[in-house]
Amino acid sequence: QVQLVESGGGLVQAGGSLRLSCAASGRTFNNSTMGWFRQAPGKEREFVAAISTSGGITYYTDSVKGRFTISRDNAKNTVFLQMNSLKPEDTAVYWCAGSTRSSISRYLAHYDYWGQGTQVTVSS
């Protein structure tokens, strides 16, 4: 089983940047597609970005395209989410998640293991 631990969240002003990290333990990380999700107060958890096992394929929800970048370092068992040009509407708890499926997915149900989440707050 893979355990995930997110870090890097915090408070930032609108227009600023944050880099989230998700460190994985376990042998299956390199064989897992990875994703980031978020949940704002009063809203459902939503897909943000996903990355293939090699890192060669990425996928983003429309609202973060051009601002967020997902990447991974398989040698360090870590996946990242670089968030630039942050907006107040990006305020949410962010989770990383891993899937044993071979193709990347935006669907929560396709992910097998989750981190504990990290808070991102963007002030206006």
Side-chain angles (χ1 to χ4, degrees):
Q1 184 65 296
V2 177
Q3 292 184 328
L4 304 176
V5 178
E6 300 98 335
S7 61
L11 174 64
V12 64
Q13 288 188 332
S17 298
L18 282 174
R19 188 193 196 201
L20 304 183
S21 299
C22 174
S25 62
R27 296 183 177 183
T28 61
F29 176 80
N30 289 0
N31 296 324
S32 298
T33 58
M34 300 297 295
W36 285 95
F37 292 79
R38 67 186 180 186
Q39 186 170 13
K43 295 187 177 181
E44 295 185 350
R45 193 174 303 191
E46 65 174 359
F47 169 78
V48 177
I51 190 167
S52 62
T53 54
S54 68
I57 300 172
T58 57
Y59 180 46
Y60 300 90
T61 194
D62 287 346
S63 63
V64 308
K65 284 180 181 177
R67 300 189 299 123
F68 291 11
T69 302
I70 187 171
S71 61
R72 66 190 296 164
D73 183 340
N74 285 344
K76 297 183 178 179
N77 280 12
T78 304
V79 62
F80 304 97
L81 185 68
Q82 178 67 45
M83 305 185 294
N84 298 329
S85 301
L86 282 161
K87 304 175 181 181
E89 51 263 43
D90 294 317
T91 295
V93 176
Y94 284 72
W95 287 269
C96 69
S99 172
T100 55
R101 289 174 174 259
S102 58
S103 58
I104 60 176
S105 171
R106 66 180 297 125
Y107 299 108
L108 276 71
H110 289 176
Y111 287 81
D112 304 293
Y113 44 91
W114 295 76
Q116 82 289 351
T118 186
Q119 177 70 46
V120 171
T121 303
V122 184
S123 63
S124 57

